[in-house]
Structures are given as structure tokens and as C-alpha cells.
Amino acid sequence: MQTPSQHTSPLQYLKGVGPKRAKALESIGIHSAHDVLYYFPRDYLDRSRIIPIKDLKRYAGKGEQVTVVGEVFRFEVKYAKKSRRSFFVLTVKDSSGYLQCVWFEGVQWYKDAFEQGELLSLSSYPDFDKLGRVQFIHPEFDRLKGAMEEDEPDWGKMFNTGAIIPKYPSTADLTKVGLDSRGFRRILRNALNSHIHEIKETLSNDIRQSGQLVDLPFAIRNIHFPENTAALETAKRRLKFDELFFLQLMLAFRKRSIKEDTNGISFAVESKLARQLVDSLPFELTTAQRRVVKEISDDMRMPKVMNRLLQGDVGSGKTIVALLAMLIAVENGYQAAFMAPTEVLAEQHFRTLAEFLKNLPVNVRLLIGGQKRKLRQDVLDDIHRGSAQIVVGTHALIQEHVEFGKLGLVVIDEQHRFGVMQRATLRAKGANALPPDVLVMTATPIPRTLAMSLYGDLDVSVIDEMPAHRKPIKTAVRLEDQKAKVFDFVQKEIAQGRQAYIVFPIIEESEKVDLKAATAGYDRLSKIFPDLKLALIHGRMKTEAKDAVMREFKSGAIDILVATTVIEVGIDVPNATIMIIENAERFGLSQLHQLRGRVGRGADQSYCILIADYGWFDHSKGLAEMDVQREKKSAKVRLETMVETTDGFKIAEVDLQLRGPGDFFGTKQSGMPEFRIANIVEDRDLMMLARKEAFDLVVSDPHLRRTENAAIRRHFELRYKEIQSLGEVG
Ligand code: ADP
Ligand code: MG
């Protein structure tokens, strides 16, 4: 989360910085001594747990992790006679003895990884080898070269001081100007000496007491140079609380201002159009859909701005619910905007909506990037005049200068993105008239407590029921060498009139590589299925070309659609019953779940077959051995989870555990606040505490006018300046 630069004495005058380093620091968003103090360590070297090698015996086999600091004495690759496999042995020494460390995997990497005499810290669970000597197997290690202060050259003495040493994140560019971990340590010492007095308390005594939180200067000092483990823990807790508390406070203010607001559109919710649509549907709405439609229309009737999150798994039928809401707006003489995360998806939605509405007098328009100038202008005019009653597009609909005649409802389909800021832009947009109601849809169910941390100002509706008559999809994992069998199965299903998807992974770094993999895959598959009609679809194709292929697939003229993940969000083809995912080990869990959601849409039994090649991780470059093991394990969990359940909530939970919140929520693109230190998964309890304090505070001192809350108010205004215009503090 951005912290404001409260004090602006130029960075370069900070002791140990100078112009060059100041510039490097600027590039990572550090503009003042205050910012420096908020550059937190990524980890610590706990010298208080460092054990002399000769004492390791006492810990062997006890299942307790310990750390040894020693220098590299010798290393070599050896061969096991029986298995003929190679392994790597590293011997380190300290002043008390020698220790063997063994790696059975990643030998090629380790053999060039160390230098004679290099100083390492190694952590592991010590154990005895066959000859009764203590050894470390696959220890974690850190290079300590340059890790210590220059003024502390006496290693032996230093390791007994029991201190905890901070390790700072750095980059190649920062290291070039001397800002490696050690460089940061020096600068932080100086910054603490000269600027700690500028750190002002941000919480009230009340909140600090009830939350048992240490004061802020203490926390800042101890997050960098902890007096001991306990001090470090209390410092972390305090700083995490700060982040969570001020986020919750922002949400609390927003929620209040929305609640109190009577400045929204009050729609008449009896809609003939909606009724007509429901009557024309070839299916009955599920109970969950009906409940959710009621929740939404109740909101729309009220003269306050609706701000509602609609959660529902892939295929649960969110689109029709959104459409019914849009028809209410249309019936009241307003326009509705429907925003999708990608253009492909916007087109898909457009087509779906147009199909649903084909017998109703409603004008639906599509606005996306690739359109011809003339058409685009026509659409824009239509939107401006208000004659475009429903407008489908990407998020650019509100970001660019699209002028609506009379916008009443905005539906945001976020799939698995999460936006907080985006909604803010929206409300600002309705300045000339009453602000539009907002419905945010997401296909990635998120656990309730987490939803609160992100969407604390939103009301939540959940579609927790799938349309009836859907057979649960059968999911299986197969290994590379079982592919022939899988393809036999595909052949048989297609002979019975079904269709299949075969998906190849996206390798983020290069679209070109992706394309090559998919094209090669397509060629291979064409040979395997010489009698079938195959087509290839990928992200680099022109929209029209993609459309053509999709239409053909939908019509049944294509048997197998070979694709990169572009189909993830788009297509709805009930006759497609097979989803084969190649290199499934490389996909994220939510992504796999989304892909699987492309089948199982008709009445026939559908199948999802995940083809796994775990060996891939061994060859992928840039992965250290430890990471390879971790990646493999996590891939296995992902695939097993897919086999075990089709419940989107469970899948989201596992995904969140595996990836951590940053990745899961796609922080960067979503506008969700970035935490420096808090973690909304691990710190759930602390978040609930922060939330309670924040929401209570808004009740007890709605405008933060009391003296004891002055610090909170000052900090809140500083930190959330950009959001201030929306959250009326008073
Ligand atoms: P979501 O957007 O939630 O992933 P969709 O709205 O795309 O799901 O719906 C998936 C499919 O199910 C669509 O073909 C839709 O027409 C259909 N559908 C929606 N509601 C029902 C229902 N109550 N009964 C049967 N089919 C439904
Ligand atoms: Mg949908």
C-alpha cells in the first residue's frame, strides 16, 4: 500500500545515499527518508538459532530445523553404485567441525553453484547418515557474502550475539549501486537514527489498547533491527494491523456513504420486458437465480446506489440474471452497460444477449477496439443519444470518453479479476445525473471473510445452485504416455456426434512460443485424427477469423477445436462434451476450473481429461531445485483437487492457499490495494479485528472529530488522499 511521503527532505542527503542511489531508490518508489523506513525486510537471518556444527548431534532426528553458518570447504558430484544416479555433496566447516550436505536432485545446477571459502548459512532438519554422522539433506541456504556489516568482521564472535539480521529485497539494478541487502541495512540504520522521530503514531490509544498493539516507532525500529524474536513479532503485528485497519476504515466510510445516500435511481421494478424474457426461456430459473434477481431488484427499487457483488460458479447462469436487471433499467428509460474483461468475452456476451433478446424491442450494441471507424462512430452516437439501450464492451467503456445519454445500470463481469478502484471511477462518471447502480459479477467464488476485505463496501449475492439436468463432469488425470488411450476415447465420443476441445498452455513470456506450441500440437493432432475436422484458434488471430472458427465449431462443422487459452472465457457450446488439457501441470487451478466449465453445458455426460507431464518442471530453466520440488507438489495438488471436486468455492479456497493472495487476486491489474506486510489469507484473524475496530469507529465518531482520533484522521487523509473525494469523512 502506498505510504505518503510525510517529510520531504531530499533522499540524497540521507547518510549513505547520495544522488546515484537516490535515483535508484526513486525507481522503486522510495522518495523520502520516511519511505526508506517503510521499506521492510523480506526475511531475517536468525542468528539466535545458529548452532555450532559440533552440537548438531543433539538435534539430529528430532524434527527441529536449525541453522549452521560455515564456509564452503569442498564439493563434488558422486555416483550411487546401485541406482547409478548422481548426487551432490557439499562440505562446510565452522570453527567447531565439518558438516556434509547432500542433494539428490538438481545436481547439474549445484555443481557450479558454490565457491571454495564462500560463507553460507544453511538450514535443515539434521539427521544421521548410515555411518552415524550428522548430515543435512536438501538444506535451504543463503549466501552470506557481503551479508554482514563491514564493522563486524569477526564472524565467530558475531554469531554468538543472538541478534536477528534483516534481509532486504533487492534487484540487479539496485545491487549495481551498492544497494544489496547489506547496503539497505546500512541506509536503514542511518535513517532510523536520523528520522525515527518523524514517525508519528497513527492509531488512538483506545485502539492500541484493545488490539494490544505496540507503538508505531517501536514497530518501525523492530521490524528492521529486532531486539529479539518477540519484539519482531509484535512489530509485525502492529504494522500489519495498520494496513488492514486503514483499508477497512476506507471500506467502512464508503459503505456508510453508500448507505446514507439517497441519491440513486429508484427504478420501478415491475418489468414487462423481464417477464416476457422469462416466459420465452427454454428453461426455468433456478431457485438461486430467482432469489438473486429479487435481491437485485430490491436494491434497484431503493433510491440509493446499488453496489452489489454477484458470485456464481461457471455455468451457474449469471448472464440471464444480469440481463433481467438490465431490462428493468431499460423499461425505466435508462441505458445499461455490460462490461467484460476481454474483447472476446464482450463479443460472446453481446451475441448471447442479442440471442436472448431477439424477440424483444431492445436495442443492444457492441463497442470494442477492433471496430471500423464508421461503425464505431455510429455506436458512439447511439450511446450518446440514449438509443443504445444495452451497451456491451470491455472496461474501456468507462475508462475512455464514452458519453452515455442516460446510464442507469452498470454490470461488470470480472470473471476472476477483482476491482475496487474501478467502481470509484464509475460513480464519479454519473456526476451530471444520478449515479448508476452497479452489479459486479465474478465467477471465482471467494470465501466470505476475504470478500469482506476486498469488497467490504459491497452487498453480496450468491448463486449456489447449478441449473438442473446437468450431469457432473467426470474428471481424470492421465500422464503423457497414456495419451494414445485418451485419443481413442475422443475418437469414440466424436463418432457418437460429440465435439472436443484440446487446449494448450500459455507460456506467458512469449506469444510466439505459445503459438508455436499450439501450431505444432495442431499438426500432430491432425495426423492422429486424419478423418476428423480440426481447427486451431489462438490469441494472435484477428477477431473475424476467431469468430469464424467459433461459429463453425458451434454449428458442429468442426469436431475438435485446438486452442490456446483464448477459449477460457468465451465459448458456450452444449454439444462439446470433452475437454482435454495438455500440459495441465502448467495451468493455475482457477484456470483449469474455468476451462472445465466450457463443457458440461448440455444434457450429455461430459469429460475433462488433464494430461500431466510433471517432468516438465525439471527442464524449465531458472528454477532452483527447491522450487522444482515445490512446483511439482503444487501441480499435483491442483490436478488432484480438480478430480476431487467441481465445487468452485472449494477450488477457490485451495487455489488461494497455493498461490497466496497476491497472485490469486491479480493485484496489479485489479486495483486492489497492495499490502507491504499484511497477508489477507494468513492474517485473517487480525483482519477481522481491524475490521471491527474500523467499523466501530465510524459509528462512534462518524467524522473523526474527536481529539483522540486526530492521528487516525490525519493519517487516513494523507494515505487515502486520492480516494478522499469519494469517502466523505466529514
Ligand atoms: P455463467 O455466466 O454463470 O458462467 P451462463 O450465464 O453463461 O453462466 O449460463 C450457462 C448456460 O446455462 C447458458 O447456456 C445459459 O443459457 C444456461 N442457463 C442459465 N440458467 C439456466 C437455468 N436455470 N436452467 C438451465 N439452463 C440455464
Ligand atoms: Mg458468463
Side-chain angles (χ1 to χ4, degrees):
M1 197 171 281
Q2 251 336 87
T3 28
S5 309
Q6 286 166 326
H7 300 275
T8 47
S9 85
L11 197 53
Q12 70 180 77
Y13 299 127
L14 185 66
K15 198 170 157 214
V17 177
K20 230 201 254 152
R21 287 182 184 166
K23 217 170 137 210
L25 290 171
E26 299 263 347
S27 75
I28 56 165
I30 298 180
H31 306 288
S32 66
H34 182 270
D35 292 346
V36 171
L37 293 177
Y38 270 87
Y39 191 71
F40 298 149
R42 105 185 113 75
D43 198 4
Y44 301 83
L45 174 60
D46 187 354
R47 284 195 228 152
S48 56
R49 276 185 359 213
I50 291 173
I51 312 287
I53 289 175
K54 76 167 166 34
D55 293 340
L56 278 179
K57 288 195 288 294
R58 273 192 256 139
Y59 296 86
K62 297 251 167 73
E64 189 182 333
Q65 192 177 32
V66 295
T67 300
V68 159
V69 170
E71 59 183 59
V72 172
F73 176 68
R74 187 169 58 204
F75 49 86
E76 60 189 319
V77 176
K78 289 189 171 177
Y79 290 89
K81 270 188 218 109
K82 252 204 227 129
S83 65
R84 306 240 297 281
R85 280 194 58 159
S86 60
F87 58 100
F88 180 77
V89 182
L90 171 76
T91 310
V92 293
K93 69 164 190 167
D94 70 3
S95 55
S96 74
Y98 295 82
L99 168 70
Q100 272 205 9
C101 304
V102 185
W103 281 269
F104 295 103
E105 312 217 28
V107 172
Q108 287 313 311
W109 186 82
Y110 282 105
K111 82 181 182 9
D112 304 316
F114 300 104
E115 267 174 53
Q116 185 93 35
E118 182 181 8
L119 194 68
L120 303 175
S121 89
L122 303 118
S123 302
S124 186
Y125 303 87
D127 228 324
F128 294 111
D129 69 6
K130 276 193 222 110
L131 301 172
R133 294 171 306 194
V134 179
Q135 64 175 4
F136 275 3
I137 294 181
H138 291 187
E140 288 179 30
F141 68 92
D142 267 303
R143 299 174 201 280
L144 298 187
K145 192 165 146 203
M148 302 301 157
E149 304 301 322
E150 275 164 355
D151 52 3
E152 291 176 302
D154 186 350
W155 306 120
K157 204 164 88 199
M158 192 185 61
F159 295 139
N160 295 320
T161 58
I164 302 171
I165 301 292
K167 293 196 260 183
Y168 291 93
S170 181
T171 62
D173 283 348
L174 290 170
T175 303
K176 253 187 237 150
V177 292
L179 289 175
D180 53 4
S181 193
R182 178 172 66 155
F184 270 112
R185 251 197 313 273
R186 221 179 285 130
I187 287 173
L188 269 145
R189 271 220 171 124
N190 297 335
L192 279 171
N193 284 337
S194 55
H195 288 77
I196 187 71
H197 62 276
E198 291 176 3
I199 295 288
K200 297 275 188 310
E201 185 52 62
T202 55
L203 297 177
S204 63
N205 284 336
D206 268 5
I207 290 180
R208 270 186 43 214
Q209 251 162 33
S210 78
Q212 298 185 307
L213 298 159
V214 295
D215 68 71
L216 189 57
F218 177 92
I220 294 284
R221 250 184 288 119
N222 279 277
I223 197 76
H224 293 291
F225 300 102
E227 286 162 23
N228 51 48
T229 327
L232 176 58
E233 286 316 309
T234 57
K236 276 189 191 161
R237 187 162 175 279
R238 163 64 209 254
L239 294 167
K240 287 175 174 185
F241 183 89
D242 261 30
E243 288 190 326
L244 297 166
F245 175 77
F246 284 100
L247 171 71
Q248 290 298 330
L249 192 58
M250 178 187 79
L251 295 174
F253 275 122
R254 262 205 215 158
K255 181 139 192 165
R256 193 199 56 185
S257 76
I258 293 164
K259 274 262 143 64
E260 288 177 352
D261 165 34
T262 50
N263 211 15
I265 305 162
S266 173
F267 294 98
V269 297
E270 272 306 315
S271 164
K272 273 197 219 104
L273 290 170
R275 173 124 318 155
Q276 258 177 288
L277 173 64
V278 171
D279 289 344
S280 75
L281 289 175
F283 50 75
E284 296 267 306
L285 293 181
T286 61
T287 314
Q289 282 171 317
R290 278 203 298 267
R291 186 189 64 236
V292 164
V293 167
K294 171 95 170 46
E295 286 166 2
I296 294 168
S297 59
D298 280 352
D299 271 5
M300 290 182 73
R301 193 178 52 224
M302 304 286 272
K304 60 163 198 167
V305 180
M306 173 169 78
N307 218 10
R308 186 166 282 278
L309 174 67
L310 174 57
Q311 287 197 356
D313 214 339
V314 199
S316 63
K318 294 184 293 297
T319 316
I320 188 80
V321 169
L323 179 54
L324 291 170
M326 290 193 288
L327 289 179
I328 292 175
V330 169
E331 186 115 358
N332 280 265
Y334 284 91
Q335 293 169 287
F338 192 124
M339 306 195 304
T342 65
E343 302 216 327
V344 177
L345 190 56
E347 291 179 75
Q348 171 75 28
H349 278 317
F350 172 69
R351 244 174 273 135
T352 308
L353 297 183
E355 176 65 27
F356 274 131
L357 296 172
K358 64 176 184 246
N359 295 321
L360 294 181
V362 178
N363 184 22
V364 193
R365 306 275 347 224
L366 174 69
L367 185 73
I368 50 173
Q371 286 167 325
K372 296 245 161 60
R373 272 253 304 279
K374 205 162 144 247
L375 173 62
R376 187 179 168 79
Q377 197 49 52
D378 185 49
V379 176
L380 285 170
D381 290 346
D382 216 8
I383 295 173
H384 188 61
R385 270 199 310 271
S387 50
Q389 291 163 299
I390 294 179
V391 183
V392 185
T394 62
H395 292 168
L397 265 187
I398 51 152
Q399 281 147 8
E400 285 163 17
H401 303 282
V402 180
E403 296 267 345
F404 281 85
K406 203 178 175 192
L407 184 59
L409 173 68
V410 176
V411 177
I412 307 175
D413 184 9
E414 302 205 310
Q415 291 292 328
H416 25 245
R417 296 211 233 179
F418 299 84
V420 179
M421 300 307 170
Q422 227 141 43
R423 297 202 306 277
T425 336
L426 246 178
R427 237 169 295 143
K429 189 115 187 168
N432 53 347
L434 292 177
D437 278 355
V438 178
L439 181 67
V440 181
M441 306 199 297
T442 171
T444 307
I446 41 178
R448 174 115 188 99
T449 48
L450 291 182
M452 282 196 307
S453 78
L454 291 167
Y455 289 129
D457 58 335
L458 281 186
D459 296 311
V460 181
S461 289
V462 183
I463 306 184
D464 49 7
E465 175 189 359
M466 283 293 185
H469 316 305
R470 293 243 177 98
K471 293 207 177 101
I473 302 163
K474 289 190 178 155
T475 305
V477 177
R478 294 289 178 266
L479 299 176
E480 273 296 302
D481 56 11
Q482 299 170 305
K483 249 158 76 173
K485 261 198 174 148
V486 173
F487 291 146
D488 280 350
F489 175 71
V490 172
Q491 187 93 49
K492 263 193 223 132
E493 283 290 303
I494 290 176
Q496 299 191 6
R498 313 272 176 273
Q499 290 164 281
Y501 299 99
I502 301 183
V503 179
F504 287 87
I506 287 264
I507 308 155
E508 299 264 349
E509 301 96 65
S510 150
E511 253 183 281
K512 252 195 209 146
V513 179
D514 291 347
L515 187 51
K516 237 166 96 189
T519 315
Y522 174 75
D523 291 343
R524 235 183 310 117
L525 289 165
S526 301
K527 286 187 195 114
I528 294 171
F529 301 105
D531 306 327
L532 299 182
K533 179 99 167 70
L534 279 72
L536 175 65
I537 188 167
H538 56 78
R540 290 199 136 198
M541 280 159 71
K542 287 246 166 62
T543 313
E544 299 87 73
K546 265 190 298 207
D547 270 1
V549 174
M550 283 189 188
R551 232 175 280 128
E552 250 190 295
F553 186 62
K554 219 166 175 162
S555 77
I558 293 169
D559 300 307
I560 299 178
L561 188 61
V562 182
T564 57
T565 42
V566 289
I567 63 152
E568 181 185 349
V569 282
I571 312 176
D572 187 9
V573 182
N575 192 50
T577 57
I578 302 176
M579 169 62 66
I580 310 262
I581 303 177
E582 297 245 11
N583 288 104
E585 77 283 350
R586 288 182 232 173
F587 287 84
L589 190 46
S590 293
Q591 209 178 11
L592 290 172
H593 181 60
Q594 289 283 326
L595 283 168
R596 179 168 61 184
R598 293 302 115 206
V599 296
R601 304 200 142 222
D604 299 305
Q605 178 64 56
S606 285
Y607 304 88
C608 174
I609 303 172
L610 307 166
I611 299 184
D613 176 13
Y614 297 110
W616 179 75
F617 292 106
D618 293 323
H619 313 295
S620 69
K621 53 183 182 324
L623 275 188
E625 179 55 28
M626 243 133 40
D627 299 329
V628 170
Q629 294 312 319
R630 206 192 45 229
E631 290 294 333
K632 274 190 195 171
K633 218 163 113 195
S634 143
K636 277 191 183 131
V637 174
R638 289 197 294 269
L639 301 189
E640 279 161 15
T641 306
M642 284 292 290
V643 173
E644 264 162 37
T645 184
T646 51
D647 178 336
F649 262 98
K650 272 191 206 140
I651 285 178
E653 190 97 49
V654 177
D655 199 22
L656 192 59
Q657 300 294 342
L658 287 176
R659 285 201 284 167
D663 250 9
F664 182 83
F665 293 112
T667 310
K668 291 263 151 42
Q669 32 158 320
S670 71
M672 178 199 153
E674 266 179 78
F675 295 117
R676 274 161 200 274
I677 183 165
N679 175 315
I680 53 174
V681 178
E682 286 164 18
D683 302 322
R684 217 179 271 206
D685 291 347
L686 198 59
M687 191 188 75
M688 295 312 286
L689 177 68
R691 180 177 173 82
K692 184 177 176 311
E693 294 291 349
F695 277 71
D696 285 355
L697 179 63
V698 171
V699 172
S700 68
D701 186 9
H703 302 283
L704 301 183
R705 287 203 181 114
R706 286 198 204 137
T707 333
E708 69 258 33
N709 294 326
I712 295 177
R713 181 180 171 129
R714 194 172 49 236
H715 187 70
F716 186 72
E717 286 180 343
L718 255 173
R719 182 180 268 189
Y720 292 98
K721 212 180 265 159
E722 73 275 30
I723 300 160
Q724 265 303 284
S725 51
L726 300 153
E728 298 77 18
V729 185

